[in-house]
C-alpha cells in the first residue's frame, strides 16, 4: 500500500487545539482534564490528516490508560 503525504503549511498548535477540543467530552466523562501549554510556533510543512491521526492517537491512549485525575 502506498502512502501519499500531502504537506501544507499549518500552525501545529491549531491542530493540537482542535484535537483537544474534540476529545474534551471523552476526558470529562472519565473525570479527566486535557491541558496544553503551547508556545507560539512558526507554521510548518505537515500532512494535517496524518498529524491529526498521530496526535489524536496519543491523547486517546493517554485517556484510555491513565487513571482518574
Amino acid at each position: 500500500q502506498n502512502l501519499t503525504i500531502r504537506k501544507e503549511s499549518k500552525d501545529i498548535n491549531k491542530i493540537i487545539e482542535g484535537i483537544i477540543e474534540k476529545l474534551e467530552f471523552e476526558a470529562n466523562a472519565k473525570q479527566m482534564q486535557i491541558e496544553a501549554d503551547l508556545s507560539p510556533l512558526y507554521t510548518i510543512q505537515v500532512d494535517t490528516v496524518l498529524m491529526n491521526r498521530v496526535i489524536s492517537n496519543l491523547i486517546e491512549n493517554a485517556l484510555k490508560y491513565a487513571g482518574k485525575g
Side-chain angles (χ1 to χ4, degrees), residues 23-34:
L23 295 174
E24 279 182 316
F25 178 79
E26 183 179 338
N28 289 335
K30 295 184 176 195
Q31 299 176 338
M32 299 175 86
Q33 185 176 349
I34 303 172

Side-chain angles (χ1 to χ4, degrees), residues 6 9 45 56:
R6 294 180 174 89
S9 186
Q45 292 292 313
S56 292

Side-chain angles (χ1 to χ4, degrees), residues 9-55:
S9 186
K10 289 287 181 178
D11 180 350
I12 192 74
N13 287 344
K14 297 290 183 196
I15 295 172
I16 294 169
E17 289 167 352
I19 293 167
I20 289 171
E21 195 172 299
K22 291 177 188 174
L23 295 174
E24 279 182 316
F25 178 79
E26 183 179 338
N28 289 335
K30 295 184 176 195
Q31 299 176 338
M32 299 175 86
Q33 185 176 349
I34 303 172
E35 293 182 17
D37 184 13
L38 304 172
S39 299
L41 295 173
Y42 295 104
T43 57
I44 60 171
Q45 292 292 313
V46 62
D47 184 317
T48 55
V49 173
L50 293 177
M51 189 56 64
N52 269 296
R53 189 178 304 165
V54 169
I55 296 171

